[in-house]
Amino acid sequence: MQNLTTLGEFIIKNQQDFPYAKGELTRLFNAITLASKVMNSQINKAGLVDDLMGKVGTENVQGEEQKKLDVYANKVFINALKARNEVCGIASEEEEETIIFENEAGKNGKYIVLIDPIDGSSNIEVNVSIGTVFAIYRRVSPIGTAAVLEDFLQKGRAQVAAGYVIFGSSTMLVFTTGNGVNGFTYDPSVGVFYLSHTNIQIPEKGTIYSVNEGNYAYFSESMKSFIDYCKFVDTSTNRPYTGRYIGSMIADLHRNFLKGGIYMYPDSIKSPNGKLRLLYECNPMAFLIEQAGGKATNGKQAILDIKPREIHERTPFYGGSSKMVSQLEMMLTNTL
Ligand code: P6P
């Protein structure tokens, strides 16, 4: 067996890269990996566990049907993070309001976590990859006080760590603390995440584009022209590109990290601000994408430079290989 590095060993070795050492990163990631292991065991048998499949009969703040797995995952991650006493507050896709930990330990927590506990949960019923996305910030309000809304509305550029867990053919944790992106594959037989993808770099050019072309009629003319560009026959520029749209952002973007490509959730007549949420989907993925040498934009500016106005706001999102995203930006801003 090759000399495998565990997630724990990796974090200890790279603790100094985390701006605020003293074991805080370790405790934060211990919470996330514990919750991920619990979710892995449940997701792998979700089809057999009746109370995890299907709908809850409620809606989240977005007006989307909450799946039982969404609600379950939300509880698992929130409880795991609260127990570590490093976090003063959490914002979750599944919670209308922010969760502020008002006890002494919570008030002394230095970090804010924003999370989408399960993105793409409707895919679980058809056995398609789903995932968890998280962003970690240092609070801006004084330690020793209750977290406030401004702590949650920081620009994505202020993230101190971000990552995703993809529950697919294998379960992987991919994260950054601002010094590159590394991937860890979970071995359920021993309950350990092992370093499997070191210093992930997104190829600057790709030939795969991901968008829901069912919405083509609702896209802007410039968005339509980019999709037409991807499909145009020009072998000198490796076109037509390959279309791949899994219906799970994390799965599409994970493929981009490894093979190159562009994932798009545009604004449209149906969704003027797109569908994806800025704080707990787009910002963490954009931080990872930039750390891996790619680009992530809303069509006009870098995702990480957007000043959030409210915790559940949406944004158009285009991310992946830098040259593909730049090409799209030029077409969207008609600066070709
Ligand atoms: P549509 C899942 O709900 C999600 O947030 C992303 O993971 C996915 O790429 C997208 O929405 C799918 O949305 O409207 O194309 O079905």
Side-chain angles (χ1 to χ4, degrees), residues 64 93 116 118-123 129 211-213 215 245-252 263-265 270-271 275-277 281:
E64 292 169 350
E93 183 192 43
D116 182 359
I118 293 289
D119 177 68
S121 55
S122 55
N123 290 311
S129 301
V211 67
N212 183 343
E213 293 202 50
N215 295 323
Y245 190 69
I246 300 170
S248 174
M249 167 193 66
I250 293 174
D252 277 315
Y263 167 87
M264 301 167 276
Y265 207 100
K270 280 200 310 184
S271 315
K275 173 183 182 183
L276 302 182
R277 291 76 169 186
E281 290 174 336

